[in-house]
PDB file of all heavy atoms in Angstrom:
ATOM      1  N   GLY A   9     -15.056  47.040   6.802  1.00  0.00           N
ATOM      2  CA  GLY A   9     -16.442  47.211   7.451  1.00  0.00           C
ATOM      3  C   GLY A   9     -16.231  47.453   8.755  1.00  0.00           C
ATOM      4  O   GLY A   9     -15.060  47.581   9.314  1.00  0.00           O
ATOM      5  N   CYS A  10     -17.263  47.874   9.538  1.00  0.00           N
ATOM      6  CA  CYS A  10     -17.364  48.254  10.938  1.00  0.00           C
ATOM      7  C   CYS A  10     -17.121  46.924  11.792  1.00  0.00           C
ATOM      8  O   CYS A  10     -17.588  45.903  11.436  1.00  0.00           O
ATOM      9  CB  CYS A  10     -18.680  48.890  11.220  1.00  0.00           C
ATOM     10  SG  CYS A  10     -18.834  49.370  13.017  1.00  0.00           S
ATOM     11  N   GLY A  11     -16.370  47.188  12.902  1.00  0.00           N
ATOM     12  CA  GLY A  11     -16.343  46.071  13.934  1.00  0.00           C
ATOM     13  C   GLY A  11     -17.574  45.574  14.377  1.00  0.00           C
ATOM     14  O   GLY A  11     -18.672  46.199  14.358  1.00  0.00           O
ATOM     15  N   ARG A  12     -17.631  44.298  14.776  1.00  0.00           N
ATOM     16  CA  ARG A  12     -18.780  43.537  15.319  1.00  0.00           C
ATOM     17  C   ARG A  12     -19.959  43.317  14.263  1.00  0.00           C
ATOM     18  O   ARG A  12     -21.179  43.381  14.563  1.00  0.00           O
ATOM     19  CB  ARG A  12     -19.411  44.346  16.469  1.00  0.00           C
ATOM     20  CG  ARG A  12     -18.314  44.437  17.607  1.00  0.00           C
ATOM     21  CD  ARG A  12     -17.679  43.279  18.116  1.00  0.00           C
ATOM     22  NE  ARG A  12     -18.625  42.312  18.681  1.00  0.00           N
ATOM     23  CZ  ARG A  12     -18.571  40.910  18.583  1.00  0.00           C
ATOM     24  NH1 ARG A  12     -17.685  40.419  17.872  1.00  0.00           N
ATOM     25  NH2 ARG A  12     -19.402  40.210  19.317  1.00  0.00           N
ATOM     26  N   GLY A  64     -12.763  57.320   8.320  1.00  0.00           N
ATOM     27  CA  GLY A  64     -13.591  56.158   8.195  1.00  0.00           C
ATOM     28  C   GLY A  64     -12.923  54.956   7.578  1.00  0.00           C
ATOM     29  O   GLY A  64     -13.503  53.791   7.797  1.00  0.00           O
ATOM     30  N   ILE A  93     -24.687  47.975  17.106  1.00  0.00           N
ATOM     31  CA  ILE A  93     -24.576  48.913  18.240  1.00  0.00           C
ATOM     32  C   ILE A  93     -24.686  48.000  19.415  1.00  0.00           C
ATOM     33  O   ILE A  93     -23.818  48.261  20.510  1.00  0.00           O
ATOM     34  CB  ILE A  93     -25.577  50.011  18.332  1.00  0.00           C
ATOM     35  CG1 ILE A  93     -25.258  50.979  17.303  1.00  0.00           C
ATOM     36  CG2 ILE A  93     -25.631  50.750  19.680  1.00  0.00           C
ATOM     37  CD1 ILE A  93     -26.495  51.901  16.973  1.00  0.00           C
ATOM     38  N   LEU A  96     -21.248  46.346  19.808  1.00  0.00           N
ATOM     39  CA  LEU A  96     -20.073  47.197  19.873  1.00  0.00           C
ATOM     40  C   LEU A  96     -19.818  47.642  21.391  1.00  0.00           C
ATOM     41  O   LEU A  96     -18.724  48.194  21.555  1.00  0.00           O
ATOM     42  CB  LEU A  96     -20.188  48.508  18.970  1.00  0.00           C
ATOM     43  CG  LEU A  96     -19.987  48.309  17.503  1.00  0.00           C
ATOM     44  CD1 LEU A  96     -20.669  49.558  16.784  1.00  0.00           C
ATOM     45  CD2 LEU A  96     -18.496  48.199  17.259  1.00  0.00           C
ATOM     46  N   ILE A 100     -16.273  49.659  22.480  1.00  0.00           N
ATOM     47  CA  ILE A 100     -16.363  50.989  22.619  1.00  0.00           C
ATOM     48  C   ILE A 100     -16.270  51.513  24.119  1.00  0.00           C
ATOM     49  O   ILE A 100     -15.584  52.557  24.366  1.00  0.00           O
ATOM     50  CB  ILE A 100     -17.640  51.603  21.929  1.00  0.00           C
ATOM     51  CG1 ILE A 100     -17.723  51.295  20.511  1.00  0.00           C
ATOM     52  CG2 ILE A 100     -17.745  53.171  22.242  1.00  0.00           C
ATOM     53  CD1 ILE A 100     -16.518  51.915  19.751  1.00  0.00           C
ATOM     54  N   TRP A 104     -12.811  53.262  23.633  1.00  0.00           N
ATOM     55  CA  TRP A 104     -13.132  53.339  22.207  1.00  0.00           C
ATOM     56  C   TRP A 104     -12.113  52.330  21.355  1.00  0.00           C
ATOM     57  O   TRP A 104     -11.364  52.694  20.631  1.00  0.00           O
ATOM     58  CB  TRP A 104     -12.989  54.723  21.637  1.00  0.00           C
ATOM     59  CG  TRP A 104     -13.919  54.998  20.603  1.00  0.00           C
ATOM     60  CD1 TRP A 104     -14.028  54.307  19.328  1.00  0.00           C
ATOM     61  CD2 TRP A 104     -14.910  55.907  20.531  1.00  0.00           C
ATOM     62  NE1 TRP A 104     -14.923  54.806  18.568  1.00  0.00           N
ATOM     63  CE2 TRP A 104     -15.776  55.794  19.184  1.00  0.00           C
ATOM     64  CE3 TRP A 104     -15.616  56.864  21.406  1.00  0.00           C
ATOM     65  CZ2 TRP A 104     -16.751  56.571  18.905  1.00  0.00           C
ATOM     66  CZ3 TRP A 104     -16.592  57.598  21.153  1.00  0.00           C
ATOM     67  CH2 TRP A 104     -17.362  57.520  19.765  1.00  0.00           C
ATOM     68  N   GLY A 105     -12.243  51.065  21.833  1.00  0.00           N
ATOM     69  CA  GLY A 105     -11.292  50.113  21.379  1.00  0.00           C
ATOM     70  C   GLY A 105     -11.401  49.625  19.963  1.00  0.00           C
ATOM     71  O   GLY A 105     -10.532  48.935  19.400  1.00  0.00           O
ATOM     72  N   HIS A 106     -12.483  50.056  19.269  1.00  0.00           N
ATOM     73  CA  HIS A 106     -12.692  49.708  17.951  1.00  0.00           C
ATOM     74  C   HIS A 106     -12.150  50.714  17.052  1.00  0.00           C
ATOM     75  O   HIS A 106     -12.248  51.874  17.166  1.00  0.00           O
ATOM     76  CB  HIS A 106     -14.218  49.405  17.452  1.00  0.00           C
ATOM     77  CG  HIS A 106     -14.731  48.212  18.113  1.00  0.00           C
ATOM     78  ND1 HIS A 106     -14.518  47.049  17.775  1.00  0.00           N
ATOM     79  CD2 HIS A 106     -15.636  47.998  19.195  1.00  0.00           C
ATOM     80  CE1 HIS A 106     -15.152  46.042  18.395  1.00  0.00           C
ATOM     81  NE2 HIS A 106     -15.758  46.655  19.188  1.00  0.00           N
ATOM     82  N   HIS A 107     -11.412  50.214  15.961  1.00  0.00           N
ATOM     83  CA  HIS A 107     -10.706  51.214  15.053  1.00  0.00           C
ATOM     84  C   HIS A 107     -11.296  50.977  13.594  1.00  0.00           C
ATOM     85  O   HIS A 107     -11.897  50.077  13.216  1.00  0.00           O
ATOM     86  CB  HIS A 107      -9.205  50.848  14.991  1.00  0.00           C
ATOM     87  CG  HIS A 107      -8.467  51.019  16.302  1.00  0.00           C
ATOM     88  ND1 HIS A 107      -7.864  52.295  16.518  1.00  0.00           N
ATOM     89  CD2 HIS A 107      -8.535  50.332  17.521  1.00  0.00           C
ATOM     90  CE1 HIS A 107      -7.293  52.214  17.805  1.00  0.00           C
ATOM     91  NE2 HIS A 107      -7.791  51.169  18.389  1.00  0.00           N
ATOM     92  N   PRO A 108     -11.143  52.122  12.829  1.00  0.00           N
ATOM     93  CA  PRO A 108     -10.532  53.336  13.119  1.00  0.00           C
ATOM     94  C   PRO A 108     -11.519  54.239  13.964  1.00  0.00           C
ATOM     95  O   PRO A 108     -12.677  54.239  13.788  1.00  0.00           O
ATOM     96  CB  PRO A 108     -10.183  53.909  11.755  1.00  0.00           C
ATOM     97  CG  PRO A 108     -11.191  53.335  10.837  1.00  0.00           C
ATOM     98  CD  PRO A 108     -11.581  52.028  11.402  1.00  0.00           C
ATOM     99  N   ARG A 109     -10.965  54.927  14.850  1.00  0.00           N
ATOM    100  CA  ARG A 109     -11.703  55.909  15.630  1.00  0.00           C
ATOM    101  C   ARG A 109     -11.987  57.034  14.965  1.00  0.00           C
ATOM    102  O   ARG A 109     -11.155  57.609  14.142  1.00  0.00           O
ATOM    103  CB  ARG A 109     -10.859  56.105  16.990  1.00  0.00           C
ATOM    104  CG  ARG A 109     -10.625  55.105  18.036  1.00  0.00           C
ATOM    105  CD  ARG A 109      -9.636  55.645  18.947  1.00  0.00           C
ATOM    106  NE  ARG A 109      -9.386  54.729  20.014  1.00  0.00           N
ATOM    107  CZ  ARG A 109      -8.260  54.468  20.587  1.00  0.00           C
ATOM    108  NH1 ARG A 109      -7.117  55.079  20.109  1.00  0.00           N
ATOM    109  NH2 ARG A 109      -8.148  53.639  21.591  1.00  0.00           N
ATOM    110  N   PRO A 110     -13.210  57.612  15.212  1.00  0.00           N
ATOM    111  CA  PRO A 110     -13.474  58.963  14.603  1.00  0.00           C
ATOM    112  C   PRO A 110     -12.523  60.070  15.203  1.00  0.00           C
ATOM    113  O   PRO A 110     -11.992  59.892  16.202  1.00  0.00           O
ATOM    114  CB  PRO A 110     -14.817  59.227  15.132  1.00  0.00           C
ATOM    115  CG  PRO A 110     -15.416  57.969  15.501  1.00  0.00           C
ATOM    116  CD  PRO A 110     -14.296  57.052  16.046  1.00  0.00           C
ATOM    117  N   TRP A 113     -13.227  61.363  18.673  1.00  0.00           N
ATOM    118  CA  TRP A 113     -13.731  60.350  19.663  1.00  0.00           C
ATOM    119  C   TRP A 113     -13.393  60.768  21.170  1.00  0.00           C
ATOM    120  O   TRP A 113     -14.235  60.520  21.997  1.00  0.00           O
ATOM    121  CB  TRP A 113     -13.065  59.059  19.392  1.00  0.00           C
ATOM    122  CG  TRP A 113     -11.563  58.961  19.586  1.00  0.00           C
ATOM    123  CD1 TRP A 113     -10.523  59.311  18.760  1.00  0.00           C
ATOM    124  CD2 TRP A 113     -11.002  58.430  20.777  1.00  0.00           C
ATOM    125  NE1 TRP A 113      -9.431  59.007  19.508  1.00  0.00           N
ATOM    126  CE2 TRP A 113      -9.653  58.580  20.707  1.00  0.00           C
ATOM    127  CE3 TRP A 113     -11.514  57.843  22.038  1.00  0.00           C
ATOM    128  CZ2 TRP A 113      -8.679  58.105  21.627  1.00  0.00           C
ATOM    129  CZ3 TRP A 113     -10.590  57.428  23.011  1.00  0.00           C
ATOM    130  CH2 TRP A 113      -9.236  57.550  22.785  1.00  0.00           C
ATOM    131  N   ARG A 116     -16.171  62.772  22.781  1.00  0.00           N
ATOM    132  CA  ARG A 116     -17.402  62.142  22.884  1.00  0.00           C
ATOM    133  C   ARG A 116     -17.373  61.124  23.972  1.00  0.00           C
ATOM    134  O   ARG A 116     -18.376  60.326  24.360  1.00  0.00           O
ATOM    135  CB  ARG A 116     -17.858  61.505  21.546  1.00  0.00           C
ATOM    136  CG  ARG A 116     -18.061  62.488  20.504  1.00  0.00           C
ATOM    137  CD  ARG A 116     -18.512  61.895  19.135  1.00  0.00           C
ATOM    138  NE  ARG A 116     -18.907  62.788  18.273  1.00  0.00           N
ATOM    139  CZ  ARG A 116     -20.126  63.381  18.110  1.00  0.00           C
ATOM    140  NH1 ARG A 116     -21.077  62.957  18.849  1.00  0.00           N
ATOM    141  NH2 ARG A 116     -20.379  64.271  17.254  1.00  0.00           N
ATOM    142  N   GLN A 119     -20.327  60.949  26.400  1.00  0.00           N
ATOM    143  CA  GLN A 119     -21.641  60.616  25.849  1.00  0.00           C
ATOM    144  C   GLN A 119     -22.174  59.253  26.445  1.00  0.00           C
ATOM    145  O   GLN A 119     -21.228  58.380  26.860  1.00  0.00           O
ATOM    146  CB  GLN A 119     -21.706  60.607  24.504  1.00  0.00           C
ATOM    147  CG  GLN A 119     -21.645  61.962  23.676  1.00  0.00           C
ATOM    148  CD  GLN A 119     -21.638  61.835  22.239  1.00  0.00           C
ATOM    149  OE1 GLN A 119     -20.996  61.093  21.636  1.00  0.00           O
ATOM    150  NE2 GLN A 119     -22.683  62.396  21.752  1.00  0.00           N
ATOM    151  N   LEU A 121     -23.118  55.347  26.295  1.00  0.00           N
ATOM    152  CA  LEU A 121     -22.433  54.355  25.602  1.00  0.00           C
ATOM    153  C   LEU A 121     -23.003  54.006  24.267  1.00  0.00           C
ATOM    154  O   LEU A 121     -22.376  53.960  23.174  1.00  0.00           O
ATOM    155  CB  LEU A 121     -22.274  53.014  26.448  1.00  0.00           C
ATOM    156  CG  LEU A 121     -21.597  51.785  25.749  1.00  0.00           C
ATOM    157  CD1 LEU A 121     -20.191  52.156  25.335  1.00  0.00           C
ATOM    158  CD2 LEU A 121     -21.600  50.625  26.573  1.00  0.00           C
ATOM    159  N   VAL A 122     -24.452  53.826  24.223  1.00  0.00           N
ATOM    160  CA  VAL A 122     -25.121  53.546  22.942  1.00  0.00           C
ATOM    161  C   VAL A 122     -24.905  54.591  22.014  1.00  0.00           C
ATOM    162  O   VAL A 122     -24.803  54.318  20.849  1.00  0.00           O
ATOM    163  CB  VAL A 122     -26.521  53.173  23.198  1.00  0.00           C
ATOM    164  CG1 VAL A 122     -26.649  51.756  23.981  1.00  0.00           C
ATOM    165  CG2 VAL A 122     -27.210  54.269  23.884  1.00  0.00           C
ATOM    166  N   GLU A 123     -24.814  55.915  22.316  1.00  0.00           N
ATOM    167  CA  GLU A 123     -24.676  57.021  21.401  1.00  0.00           C
ATOM    168  C   GLU A 123     -23.188  56.868  20.802  1.00  0.00           C
ATOM    169  O   GLU A 123     -23.131  57.202  19.653  1.00  0.00           O
ATOM    170  CB  GLU A 123     -24.950  58.305  22.138  1.00  0.00           C
ATOM    171  CG  GLU A 123     -26.374  58.533  22.580  1.00  0.00           C
ATOM    172  CD  GLU A 123     -26.677  59.921  22.936  1.00  0.00           C
ATOM    173  OE1 GLU A 123     -25.943  60.859  22.465  1.00  0.00           O
ATOM    174  OE2 GLU A 123     -27.472  60.073  23.913  1.00  0.00           O
ATOM    175  N   LYS A 124     -22.224  56.608  21.665  1.00  0.00           N
ATOM    176  CA  LYS A 124     -20.961  56.384  21.155  1.00  0.00           C
ATOM    177  C   LYS A 124     -20.909  55.305  20.123  1.00  0.00           C
ATOM    178  O   LYS A 124     -20.150  55.434  19.131  1.00  0.00           O
ATOM    179  CB  LYS A 124     -20.005  56.152  22.249  1.00  0.00           C
ATOM    180  CG  LYS A 124     -19.652  57.420  23.111  1.00  0.00           C
ATOM    181  CD  LYS A 124     -18.632  57.111  24.195  1.00  0.00           C
ATOM    182  CE  LYS A 124     -19.103  56.242  25.251  1.00  0.00           C
ATOM    183  NZ  LYS A 124     -18.086  56.244  26.353  1.00  0.00           N
ATOM    184  N   CYS A 125     -21.450  54.181  20.459  1.00  0.00           N
ATOM    185  CA  CYS A 125     -21.588  53.018  19.432  1.00  0.00           C
ATOM    186  C   CYS A 125     -22.246  53.519  18.238  1.00  0.00           C
ATOM    187  O   CYS A 125     -21.755  53.105  17.000  1.00  0.00           O
ATOM    188  CB  CYS A 125     -22.296  51.853  20.179  1.00  0.00           C
ATOM    189  SG  CYS A 125     -21.410  51.116  21.520  1.00  0.00           S
ATOM    190  N   ALA A 126     -23.347  54.161  18.215  1.00  0.00           N
ATOM    191  CA  ALA A 126     -23.905  54.641  17.125  1.00  0.00           C
ATOM    192  C   ALA A 126     -23.225  55.567  16.226  1.00  0.00           C
ATOM    193  O   ALA A 126     -23.186  55.506  15.084  1.00  0.00           O
ATOM    194  CB  ALA A 126     -25.436  55.380  17.583  1.00  0.00           C
ATOM    195  N   TYR A 127     -22.553  56.420  16.900  1.00  0.00           N
ATOM    196  CA  TYR A 127     -21.667  57.403  16.196  1.00  0.00           C
ATOM    197  C   TYR A 127     -20.537  56.654  15.468  1.00  0.00           C
ATOM    198  O   TYR A 127     -20.176  56.940  14.320  1.00  0.00           O
ATOM    199  CB  TYR A 127     -21.031  58.431  17.216  1.00  0.00           C
ATOM    200  CG  TYR A 127     -20.327  59.613  16.435  1.00  0.00           C
ATOM    201  CD1 TYR A 127     -20.938  60.708  16.023  1.00  0.00           C
ATOM    202  CD2 TYR A 127     -18.863  59.551  16.460  1.00  0.00           C
ATOM    203  CE1 TYR A 127     -20.268  61.645  15.327  1.00  0.00           C
ATOM    204  CE2 TYR A 127     -18.158  60.657  15.880  1.00  0.00           C
ATOM    205  CZ  TYR A 127     -18.972  61.614  15.281  1.00  0.00           C
ATOM    206  OH  TYR A 127     -18.221  62.727  14.765  1.00  0.00           O
ATOM    207  N   HIS A 128     -19.971  55.613  16.048  1.00  0.00           N
ATOM    208  CA  HIS A 128     -18.868  54.807  15.496  1.00  0.00           C
ATOM    209  C   HIS A 128     -19.359  54.054  14.327  1.00  0.00           C
ATOM    210  O   HIS A 128     -18.884  54.121  13.218  1.00  0.00           O
ATOM    211  CB  HIS A 128     -18.353  53.831  16.516  1.00  0.00           C
ATOM    212  CG  HIS A 128     -17.258  52.986  16.017  1.00  0.00           C
ATOM    213  ND1 HIS A 128     -15.942  53.483  15.943  1.00  0.00           N
ATOM    214  CD2 HIS A 128     -17.181  51.734  15.399  1.00  0.00           C
ATOM    215  CE1 HIS A 128     -15.146  52.710  15.460  1.00  0.00           C
ATOM    216  NE2 HIS A 128     -15.812  51.585  15.151  1.00  0.00           N
ATOM    217  N   TRP A 129     -20.532  53.390  14.383  1.00  0.00           N
ATOM    218  CA  TRP A 129     -21.220  52.635  13.264  1.00  0.00           C
ATOM    219  C   TRP A 129     -21.404  53.566  12.114  1.00  0.00           C
ATOM    220  O   TRP A 129     -21.096  53.349  10.951  1.00  0.00           O
ATOM    221  CB  TRP A 129     -22.499  51.993  13.634  1.00  0.00           C
ATOM    222  CG  TRP A 129     -23.172  51.148  12.565  1.00  0.00           C
ATOM    223  CD1 TRP A 129     -22.940  49.849  12.332  1.00  0.00           C
ATOM    224  CD2 TRP A 129     -23.937  51.622  11.490  1.00  0.00           C
ATOM    225  NE1 TRP A 129     -23.638  49.438  11.261  1.00  0.00           N
ATOM    226  CE2 TRP A 129     -24.346  50.379  10.806  1.00  0.00           C
ATOM    227  CE3 TRP A 129     -24.466  52.848  11.163  1.00  0.00           C
ATOM    228  CZ2 TRP A 129     -25.056  50.544   9.566  1.00  0.00           C
ATOM    229  CZ3 TRP A 129     -25.302  52.910  10.057  1.00  0.00           C
ATOM    230  CH2 TRP A 129     -25.573  51.819   9.266  1.00  0.00           C
ATOM    231  N   ASN A 130     -22.010  54.773  12.371  1.00  0.00           N
ATOM    232  CA  ASN A 130     -22.223  55.760  11.260  1.00  0.00           C
ATOM    233  C   ASN A 130     -20.884  56.238  10.672  1.00  0.00           C
ATOM    234  O   ASN A 130     -20.881  56.407   9.500  1.00  0.00           O
ATOM    235  CB  ASN A 130     -23.089  56.901  11.816  1.00  0.00           C
ATOM    236  CG  ASN A 130     -23.530  57.792  10.773  1.00  0.00           C
ATOM    237  OD1 ASN A 130     -24.359  57.529   9.935  1.00  0.00           O
ATOM    238  ND2 ASN A 130     -23.021  59.033  10.774  1.00  0.00           N
ATOM    239  N   PHE A 131     -19.912  56.514  11.414  1.00  0.00           N
ATOM    240  CA  PHE A 131     -18.642  56.957  10.883  1.00  0.00           C
ATOM    241  C   PHE A 131     -18.068  55.968  10.008  1.00  0.00           C
ATOM    242  O   PHE A 131     -17.641  56.367   8.861  1.00  0.00           O
ATOM    243  CB  PHE A 131     -17.675  57.279  12.055  1.00  0.00           C
ATOM    244  CG  PHE A 131     -16.365  57.493  11.736  1.00  0.00           C
ATOM    245  CD1 PHE A 131     -16.037  58.816  11.154  1.00  0.00           C
ATOM    246  CD2 PHE A 131     -15.337  56.730  11.985  1.00  0.00           C
ATOM    247  CE1 PHE A 131     -14.713  59.087  10.778  1.00  0.00           C
ATOM    248  CE2 PHE A 131     -14.009  56.937  11.684  1.00  0.00           C
ATOM    249  CZ  PHE A 131     -13.776  58.160  11.078  1.00  0.00           C
ATOM    250  N   ILE A 132     -18.032  54.780  10.255  1.00  0.00           N
ATOM    251  CA  ILE A 132     -17.378  53.786   9.414  1.00  0.00           C
ATOM    252  C   ILE A 132     -18.296  53.631   8.192  1.00  0.00           C
ATOM    253  O   ILE A 132     -17.808  53.532   7.109  1.00  0.00           O
ATOM    254  CB  ILE A 132     -17.274  52.460  10.062  1.00  0.00           C
ATOM    255  CG1 ILE A 132     -16.436  52.548  11.387  1.00  0.00           C
ATOM    256  CG2 ILE A 132     -16.743  51.323   9.215  1.00  0.00           C
ATOM    257  CD1 ILE A 132     -15.076  53.053  11.220  1.00  0.00           C
ATOM    258  N   ASN A 133     -19.617  53.427   8.333  1.00  0.00           N
ATOM    259  CA  ASN A 133     -20.415  53.095   7.343  1.00  0.00           C
ATOM    260  C   ASN A 133     -21.012  54.171   6.396  1.00  0.00           C
ATOM    261  O   ASN A 133     -21.724  53.984   5.431  1.00  0.00           O
ATOM    262  CB  ASN A 133     -21.709  52.296   7.876  1.00  0.00           C
ATOM    263  CG  ASN A 133     -21.257  50.835   8.244  1.00  0.00           C
ATOM    264  OD1 ASN A 133     -20.984  50.105   7.331  1.00  0.00           O
ATOM    265  ND2 ASN A 133     -21.288  50.602   9.588  1.00  0.00           N
ATOM    266  N   THR A 134     -20.623  55.357   6.840  1.00  0.00           N
ATOM    267  CA  THR A 134     -20.940  56.641   5.881  1.00  0.00           C
ATOM    268  C   THR A 134     -19.549  57.116   5.424  1.00  0.00           C
ATOM    269  O   THR A 134     -19.218  56.987   4.067  1.00  0.00           O
ATOM    270  CB  THR A 134     -21.785  57.628   6.551  1.00  0.00           C
ATOM    271  OG1 THR A 134     -21.150  58.074   7.733  1.00  0.00           O
ATOM    272  CG2 THR A 134     -23.103  57.149   6.906  1.00  0.00           C
ATOM    273  N   TYR A 229     -28.472  59.294  14.814  1.00  0.00           N
ATOM    274  CA  TYR A 229     -27.090  59.005  14.416  1.00  0.00           C
ATOM    275  C   TYR A 229     -27.034  58.211  13.117  1.00  0.00           C
ATOM    276  O   TYR A 229     -26.073  58.215  12.214  1.00  0.00           O
ATOM    277  CB  TYR A 229     -26.220  58.367  15.489  1.00  0.00           C
ATOM    278  CG  TYR A 229     -25.925  59.279  16.577  1.00  0.00           C
ATOM    279  CD1 TYR A 229     -26.694  59.353  17.700  1.00  0.00           C
ATOM    280  CD2 TYR A 229     -24.782  60.117  16.680  1.00  0.00           C
ATOM    281  CE1 TYR A 229     -26.372  60.129  18.924  1.00  0.00           C
ATOM    282  CE2 TYR A 229     -24.451  60.845  17.673  1.00  0.00           C
ATOM    283  CZ  TYR A 229     -25.309  60.887  18.861  1.00  0.00           C
ATOM    284  OH  TYR A 229     -24.923  61.701  19.948  1.00  0.00           O
ATOM    285  N   ILE A 230     -27.922  57.260  13.038  1.00  0.00           N
ATOM    286  CA  ILE A 230     -27.758  56.040  12.175  1.00  0.00           C
ATOM    287  C   ILE A 230     -28.743  56.027  10.948  1.00  0.00           C
ATOM    288  O   ILE A 230     -28.663  55.291  10.118  1.00  0.00           O
ATOM    289  CB  ILE A 230     -28.037  54.680  12.924  1.00  0.00           C
ATOM    290  CG1 ILE A 230     -29.422  54.705  13.599  1.00  0.00           C
ATOM    291  CG2 ILE A 230     -26.950  54.522  13.941  1.00  0.00           C
ATOM    292  CD1 ILE A 230     -29.740  53.335  14.245  1.00  0.00           C
TER     293      ILE A 230
END
Side-chain angles (χ1 to χ4, degrees):
C10 181
R12 307 303 292 147
I93 289 164
L96 281 165
I100 296 298
W104 212 296
H106 288 290
H107 293 262
R109 295 171 172 139
W113 70 276
R116 296 180 173 274
Q119 286 185 301
L121 178 58
V122 291
E123 291 187 36
K124 290 186 287 189
C125 294
Y127 189 77
H128 184 83
W129 183 93
N130 185 72
F131 171 67
I132 302 297
N133 284 292
T134 56
Y229 291 96
I230 61 175

